[in-house]
Amino acid sequence: MWRWVTGLGLIVFGLASSLFSSLALYSTQAMSMMPAVEPGQRFIVNKLAYGYSTVSLPLVGTRLDPNRLVAGPTPRRGDIIVFLDTTQSPARTIVSRVAAVAGDEAAYDGGRLVINGDYAQRDALGQETLVTRGRPQQVTRYRETLPGGMSHEIFELGDDGAMDQTWPVTVPEGHVFVLGD
């Protein structure tokens, strides 16, 4: 009987360890991903969806050789990803949507997302009032469809902001171009 209990305990421990090393609970206070992710909303992230690295396996990650990490599939346009921004001090966890992948050319023209010369389709769904920094603002809710057919909803304050007109950039190999919704 004792062997059976010990064996079952080891199985449960192994399954729990696998689960906790591959999933993580996150939340964000940022409004940049609204309406897909609301401030304060909690969500579960599969840390192994794109392979594993020193960030994916926190208990042993610092002892892994960064040159021997296991790559998985690359993110696709429309995926919501969570990543560690090490350019900030202290490093910050960021939640964003992948808009373009390696080799794509991305830009904004008159507030419209342009990928490889094609404007993302954008259908107006209506006007809403959104409270940002304590003050109400009128926004337009759109359904935006990226090349390849992935669609999601976004909020727009307007199409004439500082970043609504940009030069095209080509996404380098091993990178993605991300946006908040």
Side-chain angles (χ1 to χ4, degrees):
M1 166 96 171
W2 184 247
R3 264 193 223 165
W4 184 82
V5 171
T6 303
L8 183 61
L10 287 173
I11 290 171
V12 168
F13 176 76
L15 289 173
S17 296
S18 296
L19 179 67
F20 288 121
S21 67
S22 64
L23 300 176
L25 182 65
Y26 285 93
S27 70
T28 182
Q29 296 306 314
M31 297 179 74
S32 63
M33 283 298 293
M34 286 179 67
V37 180
E38 300 281 336
Q41 181 179 345
R42 295 182 188 278
F43 50 96
I44 295 174
V45 172
N46 176 358
K47 298 191 306 182
L48 304 179
Y50 305 114
Y52 68 82
S53 69
T54 57
V55 177
S56 304
L57 304 170
L59 298 178
V60 297
T62 56
R63 292 186 289 273
L64 290 176
D65 178 358
N67 298 319
R68 299 190 65 198
L69 304 180
V70 175
T74 57
R76 298 177 310 236
R77 287 187 207 108
D79 286 357
I80 294 177
I81 62 171
V82 177
F83 61 96
L84 190 62
D85 182 357
T86 57
T87 64
Q88 299 186 34
S89 182
R92 249 178 52 173
T93 301
I94 306 290
V95 181
S96 293
R97 183 179 306 279
V98 175
V101 296
D104 283 349
E105 184 180 82
Y108 266 92
D109 182 25
R112 300 283 307 278
L113 177 62
V114 182
I115 306 292
N116 299 325
D118 295 325
Y119 287 80
Q121 180 180 334
R122 195 172 75 170
D123 302 312
L125 300 176
Q127 298 286 315
E128 297 185 27
T129 301
L130 183 66
V131 178
T132 59
R133 296 185 181 105
R135 63 184 185 123
Q137 293 183 307
Q138 281 299 114
V139 297
T140 304
R141 183 186 286 250
Y142 291 98
R143 172 163 300 285
E144 183 175 67
T145 304
L146 300 172
M150 178 69 84
S151 67
H152 55 278
E153 292 184 11
I154 63 171
F155 286 146
E156 283 281 338
L157 289 169
D159 289 331
D160 56 0
M163 296 302 294
D164 284 331
Q165 191 70 39
T166 66
W167 293 102
V169 296
T170 300
V171 181
E173 194 62 40
H175 292 78
V176 292
F177 182 86
V178 297
L179 300 170
D181 282 347

